[in-house]
Amino acid sequence: MSSHLQQQQQQQQQQQQQQQPQQQQQDLPPHSSDPEQELPRVLLALQTVYAPNAAAANLANTTNNAAPFDRRDVADRYLTSFQRTAVAWIVCDRLLSSESPTTTAENSTLRTQRQFFAAQTLHAKCLSDVYQLPPASLPSLRDSLLTHFISHAGDSVRAPLENRPANKPLVTRLSMAIASLAVQMGWNTCLTDITQNVLTPHPELGPAVLELFRSIPEEADSNRLVLAVEEDLWSYRDMLRNSGHVVLGLCEHAVQSISSSSSDVATTEAVLSCLQSWIRIVDMDPKLLERTALLPWMFDLLTDSNRGGFELAVDVLVELLRTYPSDRRGVEGLVRAVIPRVMTLGQQQSNGSSPFQKSVLEEDEDGMRGYCRIFTEMSESYLSLILSHEEMNQASLVELVLQCSRIPDTEIAGITLHFWYRFVMGLEELEPFEYRQIKIDAFAPQLVRLLEICTVLLRYPVGVEDLSPDRLDDIEGIRLYFADTIEDCCRLLGGEVVLRATGDPLQEECRRVATLPPNNQLADWHGMEAYLYAIQAVSMYVPPDEQRVIPFVMGLIPQLPEVPLLRATACQTVGKYASWLGMQPSYLQPLLPYLAQGLSMPKCAAAAAVAIREVCERCNSLGDSVLQLYDGIVAAREQHRSSAGGTGEDFILDLRNELEVLEGVCKAVSSKVMNDPSVINHLAQPIINSLKAMASPECSPSPKQISAEVCRLTTLIQHLRLPRPSSQQATPGTLNRSEFILSLMKETWPMLDALSQKYPRDFNCGEKLCRLHKHALRECGSVYYAPLLEPLVEQTVKNFSRSLTSPYLYLASIIVSEYGRNPAHSKLLYDMVASLSSTVFNAFRTTDDFTAHPDVVEEFFFMAGRMVNYCPSPLVQSSLLNSLLQCAALGMKLHHRDANRGTLNFVENTVSYSLKLRSSSSLDANEQVNIAALEQAILAEGQPLVVNLAQALLGDLPAYRLDSGSGSIAGVLFYLNQLCPELLMQWIQPPLIAAPEHAKSAFLLTLHNRVARDEFNSSVRRFTAVCERSRKRKI
């Protein structure tokens, strides 16, 4: 069957190979190697893409040398393929020249677009296609690009004077092309040459030259750069590192040229952009930055957020702080130069407010964000100084960050949160303990104020009820970060201190709200909600006997105003303090009705359901109460179902929330079940009745209804914690967990079987049924569940044959893993796998069939892999193994990460099992048969697999799993090399013929030396990296 699949695939590939050239001939005209012929075609294609109306008008005048492009998509594909040709170098050079030919319908916009296309193409080719040119021609290409750069940069300078827009994107792209070419040709004197040959004769091009200098390190750092010799890049980067003084000198000269009377914003921004790029990418000597005149100039820009270049100056300073932290060697002078200047931006001066304080007073959002970024970044980068034993007035810097956290805009204040996290972590890591405590005590006042600030920032905005769901999600995400900061403070200050810092203000807020008129009290709930949110965030650090704040909170909750968001937070608070309530049961009784009422409110139902589950988990006295609560839910659901005509799918309580409650009920009554077994029937009977009704032939339940009842049954099996048969808690004669599950599954089996046939192809129904069987099997235990094994296998095979959905294959994998070690079940398991495999082989006859069902492919091969691991003998001794290996050769070609992983997992398990047998010193008769069968199968089917693996390394097939986890390309090759090195070498060399020679030789040497796994993985990664770069050159 799988041989038939291979034949089908080969036929499809041959057809595609025959059809593709024909289709290309029909759609695209051929490219010419003659620039005189290719240039008119490219011009017309560009006109079709950018000015289709003009192209249509010009189509009638098309000569034989220019191909007609009557469709825009054809023209676009033609231009894309043109960019990969060698003739593109000359054509694009001509397109950039001012003497390039024009078309009759051309206008200035089309000319601009065509020139940008040319620059973009040259940039891409300078990154990866330089191999198309002889090395001797590179200086000529460089000179031509510089000529175009001077011409178009000069035009951009003249454009504003002539009242027309400047083409800055074109100048930027030309800068990137020159910078890429500089790396390719090892132009180590590019900085001084450009300064002497471009800037000196054309001083008006200063901003453009700075743009070019900015591009030089960026292009050297590009992951798209493909070099013939990788080592050349390292020497080029060393040159950049040693040329920092040249760039700084040029920037200083540009700054001096800026007139003091009129700010040159273009030059300012060009200097800052260039400086940022070099600081970020080039590891310049910090002493150069310490001494440069650019530092005081930049800080002068930062004193006024309204000045041109302020935001870029912030970016540069943040980059400088991040690149040169205080714990780096050799930065002491730079740190001494930076700290006082930054503090001047934030601290109040004798002559008035600081720039930061001014921006806060004026509510200048850009200013506040910029200063907040600076202060936060400096605090993070200089954290080692903040935590130092030497007194340097560190508290003043922490105070600046605290002031930033106080900014009312939560987005800006949130910038500081990562510092507070690192600050807490740094204090926790201080040694010895005595010194740590001294530091914590020193910063405690600021941490307490941080708590107050975070609580204020937790408040919902006024009118939050009217916000869109997306905006509300954003607010909730920010609130989580502030809550995490409050929790972090607990690790330093202790839970009780933090609880009082949030609980005492809550009491004051409640007293304040109580003094308001009744009509205003309902609208003024935001403060109380924020304090409750903060209190629930510290629940892990509050002692279970706390008596100052939590009693007040629990007494307050039932009296809160009926506001959905407030009620949701109150419910969450109850759940978080479930352990405390378990020790203080007197507070619990008024809260349970409060939680139950919350279930009927859509905006707080989820919080109420989770809270009920958490309370049930930790409180032992709730059995009857929550049982009555769930009875009420069941009764309400049934009543709603009756009134809704038998569906009940729009019941007010969402299924997910109901399952949370049911899980809690199961845990709450588990201790009661041993004394009162009727509780089991109390919970199970409504589910059984519903399943029985839906399974009847005259009933037509929806897939959603079936899934819901199956989920309820699964929850009951998972969370009703009866004693296990071997447990000391199990009393002879009483029902244990395995007996309960087995009895329940036997009773519901006919119903589940009937329901599975009603919607055999519904994925969700199948997934829920398989999940039920998985949990029933694992919770019961494979030994006790054995009476249902044959019906389970039969149902799995039957349902998969009807549905062709992956959940049944996953269930089969679970069955194999649970029973595979028991020889008594080997034949049954093999028959199951063989039947499932037959269904797959019959259904998936073409590559398209495999591609359309990647989840089935994934689970099918994971199942086969588990069979090899747990129950190998019947599989490896059958012809099915060969068919599976043939099928795997097809599955490995799928462009789907998980399907690829499943396929490789099976192949790796098979080869590693064979190697395990070969390495064993003592084999029984059955294992000797196994190893012979395995080696025969690998000998017969191994070569196509190895060819696929080689093509994946070369980049011609998917390589999602290179060397990670179980089931990877490196893993299969490594085990094959240990098992049959000569065969592997024979199989892998032909497909690797297209690989770069030096990389192929190194990789084959690794195979020959049979190195350790880690070294082998590294070799595979290096080989694929070289092949990827080689592919980029050829594309």
Side-chain angles (χ1 to χ4, degrees), residues 856-877:
V856 175
V857 175
E858 175 195 4
E859 295 298 347
F860 175 65
F861 282 109
F862 269 120
M863 176 197 68
R866 286 196 177 185
M867 192 69 182
V868 172
N869 280 344
Y870 290 90
C871 187
S873 294
L875 176 60
V876 301
Q877 294 178 22

Side-chain angles (χ1 to χ4, degrees), residues 649-668:
E649 292 184 6
D650 57 344
F651 183 51
I652 190 170
L653 184 61
D654 183 80
L655 175 64
R656 183 183 60 180
N657 298 330
E658 182 188 338
L659 295 179
E660 292 277 6
V661 176
L662 179 56
E663 178 183 340
V665 172
C666 290
K667 293 176 178 178

